[in-house]
Each structure stands twice: as structure tokens, then as C-alpha cells.
Amino acid sequence: MTTSRARSRYEDRLSEAARGMRFSAIRRMSALIERPGIISFAPGQPSPETFPVAAFQEIIAEVVARESAGAFQYILTRGLGSLIAAVQEYAAAKDMPTTAPEMLITEGSQQGLDLLSRVLLDPGDVVVVERPSYIGATSAFRASRARMVGVRLDDCGLDLDDLRRRHAECVGAGTTPKFLYVIPSFQNPSGISHDLDHRRGLLEAARDLDLLIVEDDPYGDLYFEAAPVATLRSMDGARVVYLSSFSKILAPGLRTAFLIGPEEILAKVEIAKQSANLCGSGLDQRVILACLKRGLIEAQKERIRPYYRAKRDTMLAALEAEMPDGVRWTRPAGGLFVWLTLPEGMDAEILLEAAVAEGVAYVAGGPFHVDGGGANTMRLTFAKEDAPTIAEGVRRLGRVVKRAVS
Ligand SMILES: Cc1ncc(COP(=O)(O)O)c(C=O)c1O
């Protein structure tokens, strides 16, 4: 009684934007799925087995010995100058040459997405996103009270006719979309990558429609087959704001990512960042710098690709063996996720309870769709469990799905 009265009293004190904020569907689902003994295909996290802890220990000791108290001082809002220079080199090696004012270090790409929302979006603005898309991004856009329009994502990339159609509908209704948000390589949640033709077509459409692109690329280096095709930023530097992160390659606890974009936009992002957190962690950034200088990041990529490839192979083979007719799934060439589609009319959120009772968990796919579709989809990660556990988890999931289908 007291609690609900107190809650409603504070509700009145909240901003309109805060009143509209909701915990993400994944967080709501986690109450159900984070139980001991459950085989979990749910978390959107890299495996801690891949974190190079011994190297971190050595590097942190070295940084503290060398920098002493300086390692714990505030740093520039944009990031350590020496790290920016090193990341410029890192980006140039991927055909994305940049000047220093075109680069900014953030505490994770999630912060980059939030800052971009703040400097690019007004309430009521439209952002075009893939359908499905990454919930962290759509939540950030929603927090700026933007409206989202979803464009169909096919196996080889964005449906470009749908993009032009949806754009025309927005313009016809009097709102020109502010930007297009895409994750072209091994997308979270679907594992889908845009092939070269789709990337070219996307840039051509963006030029025709005068559309700014925000390219989110945390998984591009986690490829299992051929190296992924060029980034959109490397294909058209003027039209693309690019984000990438060290979270999936090294460890998300180091909270270090980078943003590349036009100087004018980044100058505003810097001001927004100043009021968000003054600056990132000087210690984390010095550790990332040392990792770059030692060649540890490239070595780490070589090490973790076969690790995740083996897990992906186990999951795909198990799905092949266990899933009944009418169930489809993606075969990602990299990243951490497989996207499974149940027959039309089934609901993965409802099925989750039966799956948890069987001892396996996933994330239902509906919330990744900004238009309310996708009820019959789910995201499965192969990152967390070891190979025998993945096989057992898919067997359990297969039993649940077979029962529901029949
Ligand atoms: C597509 C995508 N973008 C951004 C992020 C944020 O990553 P971080 O803030 O750790 O760099 C994630 C994390 O899962 C992601 O999947």
C-alpha cells in the first residue's frame, strides 16, 4: 500500500521521457531464465573463457608501476590522446582512415549509441532500423523519444525496396528519417551479415535518400569463414558514423569502444559526453592501449575465432538433428548468435515457460522487432555453454518445440 502510493507520488516527479522508460524485455525475461541448472542460450555476452586474464594482470601492474597516481587521474573527455592515435592506426588498417577530431573513445558502444541519440534526435524524430534490431540501440533511441520504423532484414542484408518504401511513407507523412541504424556484420540478434551487393545498394539508397547511416560493428572481427566484406564506413566515409568496441574481442569490463564520424557531430558528442561522465576510465584506456601496442588484440582475434566457430558448428549440427520440419534458423558466418524462426502462429515468449521447465533458456525474438512482429522468433547464443552442453540444450529445446508443433 505504502509502496504503491510512494511510487505514484514519485511518478509525478519524473520527466515525460523517464515515464516512458521500461526495463528491456530481456531484463524482464531474465527473472525467468536465470535459474541454476538451466542451459542458457540467452545472454548476449562473450564467454569469460576468452578473456586474457593473465595478460591483463601483467599489463595492469605495468601501467600502475609506470604511471603511478597518474593512471587514476581524470583524462580528456574524448579519451587519452595516445589511445586515439593508436585506434586511428587500428581503424586505418581496416580502410577507415580518420583524423583525430573524427574519433572519440566511449565507455562501450552502448554509450556511443546513447550519446548519438542525444545529439541527433528530437522527440518525434524517426530512426530507421533493421527488423529485428539490437534492443540496446532501440532503447537508446526510444529514450530520446524517437519513433522507429523497421525495415525487413533478409538473409543477405536489408531489403532495399522495403527501405525505399518505408522512407517514402515517412516523408509522405511529413517526417524525414534522421538516420538509418544498421549492424551489417553478424548482427545481434540475428547473426545475419549484409553481403557486398547489399552494402553497395544500401549506400546507393542512402545517397539517393540523403540518409545518414549509423553503422554499429562490434562483431565484424569475429568471423569464422572468409573475412567479412568491407565496412560501410570504409566504402563511404562521408555518409557513415561508425561504432566499434573492444568488448567482444577482449572483455566488456574494460568498457572501451570508439566512435568515428564527421567532426561537427563528434564535437557535439564530446559536449554531451562531458555532461554524462566527464571522461572514461584512464586505467581501462591505458590497458587497451597496451593491448594494441603488444599486438594482443590481433592475437586474441586469432585465438577466439576457432573457439566460437567450434561452438557455432555444434549448435548448427544439433539444430539440424533436433528441430522438426517447419523450423528455420540462420547459419551465421561469425558473431555470437543464431536466430531461429518457429512455424507461423507459434509464440516464443509463451513457449519459454515450457523450455525453462525442460531446463533450457533463450531470448524470445518479439522485443527485437520495433513493429511488434516476430512473435515466432528466438535468439540463441552459442557463446556461453561448452559443446556437450550446447548439444544437450538443443536436444531439450527440440523436445519442447516438437511438442508445441504437434
Ligand atoms: C550490436 C551491439 N551494439 C552495441 C553493443 C554494446 O556493447 P559495448 O557497450 O559493450 O561496447 C552490443 C552489446 O551486446 C551489441 O550487441
Side-chain angles (χ1 to χ4, degrees):
M1 188 72 179
T2 319
T3 320
S4 74
R5 224 186 298 127
R7 203 182 294 135
S8 69
R9 196 166 64 233
Y10 288 116
E11 175 98 14
D12 293 343
R13 293 176 192 270
L14 295 174
S15 69
E16 218 172 294
R19 261 179 259 145
M21 287 176 187
R22 299 278 177 270
F23 280 117
S24 82
I26 295 187
R27 189 158 162 177
R28 287 200 308 274
M29 274 182 247
S30 61
L32 182 64
I33 59 192
E34 279 167 13
R35 291 191 196 166
I38 291 226
I39 298 178
S40 187
F41 298 142
Q45 300 172 355
S47 166
E49 284 182 5
T50 65
F51 304 163
V53 177
F56 289 157
Q57 255 171 337
E58 205 180 286
I59 289 171
I60 291 168
E62 209 178 275
V63 167
V64 174
R66 192 180 60 239
E67 309 277 336
S68 186
F72 302 94
Q73 186 53 285
Y74 287 117
I75 57 169
L76 293 175
T77 303
R78 262 183 185 265
L80 281 179
S82 46
L83 179 62
I84 291 179
V87 179
Q88 276 179 270
E89 251 176 66
Y90 180 75
K94 297 169 178 231
D95 287 330
M96 296 186 291
T98 53
T99 62
E102 289 173 327
M103 176 167 291
L104 188 139
I105 305 295
T106 58
E107 286 192 282
S109 281
Q110 186 60 42
Q111 185 186 45
L113 292 166
D114 179 66
L115 296 173
L116 282 174
S117 301
R118 294 199 212 183
V119 306
L120 294 176
L121 296 172
D122 289 311
D125 277 348
V126 168
V127 181
V128 181
V129 302
E130 294 162 299
R131 206 178 68 230
S133 186
Y134 166 57
I135 289 181
T138 53
S139 302
F141 306 152
R142 207 166 278 124
S144 291
R145 298 168 66 200
R147 196 159 60 76
M148 264 147 306
V149 167
V151 171
R152 248 173 69 83
L153 185 60
D154 291 330
D155 285 345
C156 301
L158 211 57
D159 178 336
L160 299 172
D161 293 334
D162 198 32
L163 171 64
R164 288 176 188 269
R165 199 164 39 240
R166 303 308 305 268
H167 189 276
E169 282 166 12
C170 293
V171 173
T175 326
T176 302
K178 267 297 181 65
F179 59 85
L180 165 68
Y181 168 73
V182 282
I183 309 153
S185 296
F186 321 126
Q187 194 222 32
N188 177 6
S190 69
I192 288 173
S193 283
H194 301 209
D195 67 19
L196 187 57
D197 282 351
H198 278 79
R199 289 179 197 231
R200 286 196 182 119
L202 176 55
L203 287 167
E204 194 182 309
R207 284 190 283 269
D208 291 349
L209 305 172
D210 193 22
L211 193 53
L212 180 72
I213 296 174
V214 173
E215 176 181 25
D216 190 5
D217 187 26
Y219 303 103
D221 286 309
L222 265 183
Y223 53 85
F224 308 146
E225 322 287 344
V229 286
T231 64
L232 297 172
R233 170 79 196 183
S234 71
M235 295 165 75
D236 189 345
R239 192 154 293 280
V240 181
V241 177
Y242 177 89
L243 303 110
S244 189
S245 168
F246 297 104
S247 283
K248 313 297 175 184
I249 303 163
L250 271 182
L254 290 167
R255 302 311 301 137
T256 304
F258 58 97
L259 183 55
I260 300 174
E263 200 175 320
E264 298 91 315
I265 294 179
L266 261 60
K268 297 292 182 186
V269 169
E270 182 175 4
I271 297 167
K273 187 174 191 299
Q274 206 151 32
S275 57
N277 70 349
L278 295 182
C279 66
S281 156
L283 183 60
D284 288 0
Q285 293 192 17
R286 286 182 174 92
V287 172
I288 295 284
L289 176 61
C291 291
L292 280 165
K293 293 228 149 124
R294 283 180 175 208
L296 183 65
I297 291 184
E298 294 312 316
Q300 177 75 0
K301 290 177 193 170
E302 297 295 326
R303 204 165 68 80
I304 64 179
R305 281 179 197 131
Y307 169 87
Y308 285 122
R309 185 195 298 123
K311 290 187 177 215
R312 181 227 31 200
D313 289 347
T314 303
M315 181 170 270
L316 292 181
L319 287 167
E320 205 65 61
E322 304 295 338
M323 284 297 150
D325 285 350
V327 177
R328 291 181 288 120
W329 56 91
T330 54
R331 288 164 177 77
L336 305 179
F337 306 106
V338 170
W339 186 245
L340 185 137
T341 305
L342 299 166
E344 209 56 54
M346 286 180 70
D347 189 319
E349 207 160 333
I350 293 173
L351 200 67
L352 186 57
E353 220 160 303
V356 169
E358 192 76 31
V360 62
Y362 56 81
V363 179
F368 296 95
H369 293 70
V370 292
D371 58 358
N376 61 328
T377 57
M378 66 176 75
R379 188 189 73 181
L380 303 173
T381 182
F382 43 83
K384 180 171 182 283
E385 308 290 4
D386 61 22
T389 315
I390 291 174
E392 171 58 22
V394 173
R395 259 193 302 279
R396 293 179 187 183
L397 187 59
R399 282 201 292 273
V400 174
V401 173
K402 276 178 203 148
R403 270 203 305 271
V405 167
S406 68

